[in-house]
Amino acid sequence: MRSIIGRRVVYILFALLLVANIATLAILWRGRLRGPRGGTPPDMARNLLVREIGFDESQTARYDSLVDIHRRLADSLRRAIGRSKRENLEALKDTSLPEASLAQRAERTGMLVRQLELATILHFREVRAICRPGQRPRFDALMREVSLRMGPEGPPPPGPGPRR
């Protein structure tokens, strides 16, 4: 009698967990299909930059052109970086590969990351160049603000390690 009740409890708990997981996945999937509110992050960044700097129509058209060019290049480089990282992880399976070969693979990935970083720096240099002299201080301030948000100056991640 006890084992029947115990089994029923286990089955009920299992069913509840299954329903909860399906509901969670459905909610997450539904939100993903809709996308973020207010546009995609690149669109939000574009709108912020255009609004905050005060681009006119011709500057906005030139900026949009620069963004399209940069986005195509950056997407291509990101795909190459992803492929390179996947290949590096696959190489872990081959225990006969010498460390020098692994270092070369890491160097290739690093070069792709370097190209992406350089492309981004050059892109923003071109964006700054389309600013009128009076707009450049605001552009510089926005870039400084973004770099502070992206920088490592935030609090250290939680976990084991030395305390500061």
Side-chain angles (χ1 to χ4, degrees):
M1 183 76 159
R2 240 182 184 181
S3 68
I4 293 174
I5 293 173
R7 261 192 206 155
R8 282 188 182 167
V9 170
V10 169
Y11 288 142
I12 290 171
L13 287 175
F14 180 76
L16 288 174
L17 285 173
L18 184 64
V19 169
N21 282 331
I22 291 171
T24 301
L25 289 173
I27 290 168
L28 290 174
W29 189 258
R30 186 174 162 205
R32 190 177 232 184
L33 290 176
R34 281 189 190 157
R37 291 186 181 139
T40 62
D43 291 338
M44 290 175 6
R46 177 220 177 261
N47 294 338
L48 174 74
L49 199 62
V50 167
R51 184 182 67 244
E52 288 292 320
I53 294 174
F55 282 164
D56 61 27
E57 285 184 34
S58 68
Q59 287 174 307
T60 301
R62 178 72 181 125
Y63 173 65
D64 287 341
S65 172
L66 291 173
V67 167
D68 287 341
I69 292 165
H70 175 68
R71 198 172 283 166
R72 281 194 301 271
L73 175 59
D75 287 347
S76 172
L77 285 168
R78 283 187 193 102
R79 284 190 301 274
I81 291 167
R83 278 191 305 273
S84 183
K85 287 184 175 189
R86 283 189 299 278
E87 289 169 5
N88 292 348
L89 293 175
E90 283 296 316
L92 293 173
K93 294 176 185 175
D94 186 355
T95 57
S96 67
L97 279 176
E99 191 172 322
S101 175
L102 297 175
Q104 284 176 334
R105 289 172 178 276
E107 187 67 31
R108 251 182 274 138
T109 304
M111 289 301 293
L112 290 167
V113 172
R114 180 180 178 277
Q115 288 175 15
L116 177 59
E117 188 67 20
L118 182 59
T120 300
I121 291 167
L122 293 174
H123 164 72
F124 282 111
R125 177 192 274 178
E126 290 175 325
V127 172
R128 189 177 190 279
I130 66 172
C131 294
R132 292 187 299 273
Q135 295 171 323
R136 288 187 183 134
R138 183 61 189 141
F139 175 84
D140 295 341
L142 278 172
M143 293 298 104
R144 195 170 22 262
E145 194 176 310
V146 167
S147 72
L148 289 174
R149 289 184 188 176
M150 294 174 62
E153 289 82 22
R163 292 269 183 189
R164 292 183 195 184

